[in-house]
Amino acid sequence: MHNFDFVKPGTVADAAAALQGDEAQPLGGGQTLIPTMKQRLAAPETLVSLIGIAEMQGVCKTDAGELSIGGATTHATVEAEAASLFPGLAGLAGRIGDPAVRNRGTIGGSLANNDPAACYPAAALATGATIRTDKREIAADDYFQGMFTTALDEGEIIVEVRMPIPEKSNYQKFLQPASRFALTGVFVAKYADGVRVAVTGASEEGVFRWTEAEQALGSNFAADAISGLSVSADGMINDLHGTPEYRAHLVKVLTGRAVMAAA
Amino acid sequence: MVSVSMNVNGKPASGEVEGRTLLSAFLRENLKLTGTHIGCDTSQCGACVVHVDGKAVKACTMLAAEADGSEVKTIEGMANADGSLGVVQQAFQDHHGLQCGFCTPGMVMSAAALLSENPNPSEAEIREYLEGNLCRCTGYHNIVKAIMAAAGQDVSKIAAE
């Protein structure tokens, strides 16, 4: 790993100022960025740790019925604090990586990285979350822009993620057991005015919504409702763990399981 | 360089480190606490698991500077005050929960973190909690058995393997 200056500001404003410097990069829990830097695939000159910013910590329910999650909240904290408010999200958080990774990794870090097989992007897209940064608010539908690509500008900080709490939800993750990422994962969220289905781990374009399933489940929230649908293998990821056809098949199977398990 | 100070196994520790210095390197090279092992250095194997503010973390995937101001506990802090083995350590010895011993510091630290969150875990919960700790010798069977015993469970009916 190349050397860098390390700073740990206590406020979003100080962090934003520190990120104005050349080659400065934000650091969440570091569970992806530190390994990436060890491989010299990233070499920031300044690393700005966000973990000490109090206003970016914790989980609470807003008056508008949304779950507000600070950008620097760890997966373990989301698992514990969202358990009664939004069990579908707590279940997702509790299956990311392993316990030690969940004690460090953060929701903001996961969403900023937008790994095509990460879990949180599926929850953010399926809930129609709002990503609040130090500069603006971004709707999840506009936020994810392809593999490892987001609407964030250089140095922009995810301060808070707000997710409308569904009536029912569930995340089904078909585990890639070596990486512990999703070989394919599906988040289903049922609201009074419709259903949203988001798929991670499958597409070369990263997380996406399966709108046909959303329409079918919107009129009949049952696994049978999608039995007549099929998912195209075009554009699905092809690697030694699974073919595009296999992943396309998993999307449908996991969606059905998520509907049956939704609580 | 960054000044860091933390409490390690109840004693103050400080030093001047580079930004890139990992917590695992600070513990091993600055503090000479070589019980924390570096197996893969890619956050896969869990040999470097320590507790930071009571939470299990992989010390190879945390910067020393990030641990500034924290309470850190390593395998060297797991023995009883009189030097005898702690409950989890003793259970690993009693139930042959190790062979080469390389993964053992991380296993013991993860097991202790599990038991502090969940004092009476099932076998399945133990195996799930050890997802991030790899052992290439034992096949995990006796590690799981040792942790069940450390939780006070009767493991006499579980066959030795």
Side-chain angles (χ1 to χ4, degrees):
Chain A
M1 180 160 41
H2 291 293
N3 202 19
F4 51 83
D5 292 327
F6 176 87
V7 293
K8 189 176 172 185
T11 66
V12 172
D14 287 350
L19 285 164
Q20 294 305 308
D22 276 351
E23 303 294 324
Q25 201 167 340
L27 174 70
Q31 301 304 286
T32 296
L33 183 54
I34 291 174
T36 305
M37 289 168 61
K38 286 182 182 180
Q39 293 177 297
R40 298 189 172 181
L41 296 172
E45 288 181 11
T46 303
L47 213 47
V48 181
S49 171
L50 306 177
I51 212 98
I53 301 174
E55 66 187 285
M56 287 176 59
Q57 291 285 349
V59 177
C60 66
K61 188 175 175 179
T62 68
D63 294 340
E66 295 174 314
L67 194 73
S68 162
I69 308 154
T73 308
T74 64
H75 310 326
T77 299
V78 173
E79 179 189 9
E81 296 188 4
S84 59
L85 296 166
F86 186 172
L89 184 72
L92 175 151
R95 293 190 66 210
I96 297 171
D98 60 52
V101 167
R102 295 196 286 273
N103 282 333
R104 294 294 304 164
T106 66
I107 186 170
S110 172
L111 292 175
N113 191 45
N114 192 22
D115 188 296
C119 299
Y120 270 127
L125 191 59
T127 57
T130 300
I131 317 287
R132 180 167 71 86
T133 76
D134 57 317
K135 296 177 182 167
R136 58 189 165 143
E137 297 200 338
I138 310 169
D141 283 317
D142 302 323
Y143 176 83
F144 298 104
Q145 299 187 349
M147 193 177 277
F148 296 112
T149 308
T150 70
L152 292 177
D153 293 332
E154 283 292 314
E156 193 170 359
I157 301 165
I158 298 178
V159 175
E160 178 196 27
V161 182
R162 290 198 311 272
M163 297 183 179
I165 298 174
E167 292 174 354
K168 288 183 173 185
S169 66
N170 186 257
Y171 178 63
Q172 290 287 319
K173 175 182 183 178
F174 196 89
L175 194 70
Q176 204 287 69
S179 72
R180 311 206 72 79
F181 275 84
L183 185 60
T184 291
V186 177
F187 199 105
V188 171
K190 180 182 185 300
Y191 293 92
D193 59 352
V195 176
R196 289 173 64 113
V197 177
V199 179
T200 189
S203 169
E204 291 178 340
E205 297 299 313
V207 67
F208 69 96
R209 284 172 65 187
W210 186 18
T211 50
E212 287 173 298
E214 292 179 354
Q215 285 159 14
L217 293 167
S219 48
N220 176 19
F221 192 71
D224 287 350
I226 59 163
S227 58
L229 303 182
S230 62
V231 181
S232 168
D234 289 346
M236 293 290 180
I237 296 168
N238 188 16
D239 61 21
L240 77 168
H241 306 296
T243 61
E245 291 74 17
Y246 185 61
R247 283 185 162 87
H249 179 70
L250 281 177
V251 171
K252 184 172 169 178
V253 171
L254 296 175
T255 302
R257 288 183 188 173
V259 171
M260 284 192 282
Chain B
M1 301 293 275
V2 193
S3 294
V4 297
S5 58
M6 58 191 86
N7 252 323
V8 179
N9 301 325
K11 293 181 200 143
S14 58
E16 292 283 315
V17 299
E18 290 185 316
R20 63 180 167 182
T21 303
L22 298 167
L23 179 58
S24 53
F26 180 70
L27 293 170
R28 290 176 55 85
E29 293 167 23
N30 293 55
L31 306 184
K32 309 299 180 194
L33 294 173
T34 54
T36 297
H37 288 173
I38 299 171
C40 65
D41 205 25
T42 56
S43 63
Q44 314 280 320
C45 80
C48 67
V49 168
V50 300
H51 299 175
V52 175
D53 295 328
K55 305 283 188 191
V57 305
K58 291 181 172 175
C60 81
T61 310
M62 180 170 182
L63 303 171
E66 290 182 284
D68 183 45
S70 297
E71 291 284 336
V72 178
K73 193 167 193 179
T74 71
I75 190 67
E76 288 89 348
M78 294 302 285
N80 297 320
D82 65 1
S84 61
L85 295 179
V87 172
V88 178
Q89 292 172 308
Q90 188 63 53
F92 270 65
Q93 186 182 71
D94 292 346
H95 297 281
H96 208 69
L98 61 150
Q99 288 180 28
C100 85
F102 193 87
C103 72
T104 311
M107 288 288 179
V108 169
M109 299 312 288
S110 281
L114 167 63
L115 295 177
S116 71
E117 288 172 26
N118 179 358
N120 195 25
S122 66
E123 181 187 335
E125 286 170 335
I126 293 169
R127 290 185 184 275
E128 193 181 336
Y129 201 89
L130 296 180
E131 277 168 357
N133 290 81
L134 303 183
C135 172
R136 300 293 77 176
C137 304
T138 66
Y140 304 96
H141 189 82
N142 287 350
I143 293 172
V144 174
K145 188 176 173 182
I147 297 169
M148 292 168 79
Q153 298 174 23
D154 177 12
V155 295
S156 60
K157 302 284 194 295
I158 300 175
E161 282 189 13

